[in-house]
């Protein structure tokens, strides 16, 4: 079974600075998707960024980028120019690319709580 | 706004009772997923439906059941409620089983007293 590990329960960053959140995963599959979701105090789960495992190029969405290291099974999220609105829980998630069965669901890590200091 | 709606937002009920949570997916999305978020268990997958049919089951208790209707909305039924069932229940939708993005609703906060 696949697992997702986020080893940093809490992180803090100064406004306008850069922060990197770590995520590692364990799988025997070669094709899969990885995601970062943001959960602000409102509790809404917001998709931040996604990465297909077959793509070597790291995904980027505005100030958010990932460092995907497939061999190391690592998927970190970098937030540049941090803003107060970035303060939230961040969840790393894995989804198999296989169809059918239980492979359609997301497997989440425990989350990292990010604080942004003004 | 993800386009996924969930009702009610909050629900307070007593142990032993039964409740129904409702989810309407984004327009055109055929797949619906239910997740439970609790402090001790984190975010856990419960069950998935695709175009009216059950596709996958996760850590869903036998006291819980779900269905997806012809108009694609879904309901999660929780019965014989226990204190430990208190959690945030999310519904997510995606265009199909093979598409990779899931969009979450705002969740239903269930409190069992």
């Amino acid at each position: 079974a696949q697992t997702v590990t986020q080893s940093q329960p809490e992180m803090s960053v100064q406004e306008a600075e850069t922060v990197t959140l770590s995520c590692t995963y364990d799988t025997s599959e070669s094709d899969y998707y990885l995601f970062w979701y943001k959960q602000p105090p409102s509790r809404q789960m917001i998709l931040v960024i996604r990465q297909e495992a077959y793509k070597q190029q790291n995904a980027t969405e505005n100030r958010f980028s990932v460092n995907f290291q497939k061999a190391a099974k690592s998927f970190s999220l970098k937030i540049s120019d941090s803003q107060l609105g970035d303060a939230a829980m961040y969840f790393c998630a894995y989804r198999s690319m296989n169809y059918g069965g239980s492979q359609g669901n997301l497997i989440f890590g425990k989350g990292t709580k990010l604080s942004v200091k003004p | 706004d993800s386009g996924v709606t969930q009702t009610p937002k909050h629900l307070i009920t007593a142990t032993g009772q039964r409740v129904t949570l409702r989810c309407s997916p984004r327009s055109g999305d055929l797949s619906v997923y239910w997740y439970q978020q609790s402090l001790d268990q984190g975010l856990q997958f419960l069950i998935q439906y695709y175009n009216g049919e059950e596709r996958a089951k996760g850590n869903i208790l036998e006291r819980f059941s779900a269905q997806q209707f012809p108009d694609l909305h879904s309901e999660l039924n929780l019965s014989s409620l226990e204190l430990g069932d208190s959690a945030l229940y999310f519904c997510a939708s995606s265009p199909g089983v093979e598409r990779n993005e899931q969009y979450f609703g705002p969740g239903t906060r269930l409190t069992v007293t």
Side-chain angles (χ1 to χ4, degrees):
Chain A
Q2 297 84 15
T3 59
V4 177
T5 302
Q6 294 179 250
S7 58
Q8 306 153 316
E10 296 188 23
M11 292 280 287
S12 181
V13 63
Q14 205 73 30
E15 194 175 8
E17 297 295 310
T18 296
V19 65
T20 298
L21 308 184
S22 301
C23 172
T24 58
Y25 57 94
D26 188 28
T27 183
S28 59
E29 298 175 333
S30 58
D31 292 322
Y32 46 86
Y33 303 101
L34 296 165
F35 305 87
W36 280 96
Y37 279 86
K38 170 185 177 181
Q39 187 178 41
S42 67
R43 294 296 192 177
Q44 175 77 50
M45 293 289 288
I46 301 166
L47 177 62
V48 175
I49 199 166
R50 73 173 189 193
Q51 174 80 43
E52 290 87 347
Y54 61 84
K55 290 185 178 179
Q56 292 187 338
Q57 186 173 5
N58 289 323
T60 299
E61 289 287 343
N62 301 314
R63 297 183 295 108
F64 298 87
S65 61
V66 298
N67 183 5
F68 173 50
Q69 301 289 329
K70 190 173 184 178
K73 296 180 182 175
S74 170
F75 182 61
S76 61
L77 175 70
K78 185 172 82 171
I79 306 174
S80 304
D81 185 25
S82 295
Q83 301 175 359
L84 295 178
D86 295 333
M89 281 290 287
Y90 286 82
F91 292 94
C92 179
Y94 173 102
R95 182 192 184 280
S96 172
M97 195 178 282
N98 294 323
Y99 307 144
S102 64
Q103 286 89 347
N105 58 284
L106 294 168
I107 300 169
F108 289 92
K110 294 291 187 184
T112 296
K113 183 177 181 180
L114 178 66
S115 301
V116 181
K117 298 179 180 178
Chain B
D1 185 356
S2 67
V4 179
T5 61
Q6 288 186 249
T7 56
K9 286 187 178 179
H10 303 279
L11 200 50
I12 302 174
T13 189
T15 55
Q17 295 299 304
R18 173 189 170 93
V19 297
T20 297
L21 312 183
R22 182 188 169 101
C23 167
S24 292
R26 296 188 318 158
S27 177
D29 283 0
L30 300 177
S31 267
V32 168
Y33 304 79
W34 287 96
Y35 293 88
Q36 179 195 60
Q37 185 178 30
S38 61
L39 283 175
D40 53 346
Q41 297 294 325
L43 270 158
Q44 289 201 96
F45 166 67
L46 295 178
I47 196 164
Q48 176 198 356
Y49 279 82
Y50 174 74
N51 203 21
E53 294 187 0
E54 182 184 303
R55 271 290 184 145
K57 270 187 174 180
N59 298 321
I60 188 166
L61 300 172
E62 287 190 9
R63 301 183 286 108
F64 296 0
S65 65
Q67 54 185 330
Q68 186 179 28
F69 295 86
D71 67 352
L72 300 178
H73 91 270
S74 178
E75 294 181 354
L76 179 67
N77 301 297
L78 314 177
S79 61
S80 303
L81 286 167
E82 302 175 359
L83 295 178
D85 297 328
S86 296
L88 188 55
Y89 290 85
F90 284 109
C91 167
S93 75
S94 70
V97 173
E98 68 277 12
R99 288 288 298 272
N100 57 40
E101 296 173 1
Q102 294 182 20
Y103 296 90
F104 282 73
T108 293
R109 167 73 69 185
L110 174 66
T111 302
V112 182
T113 62

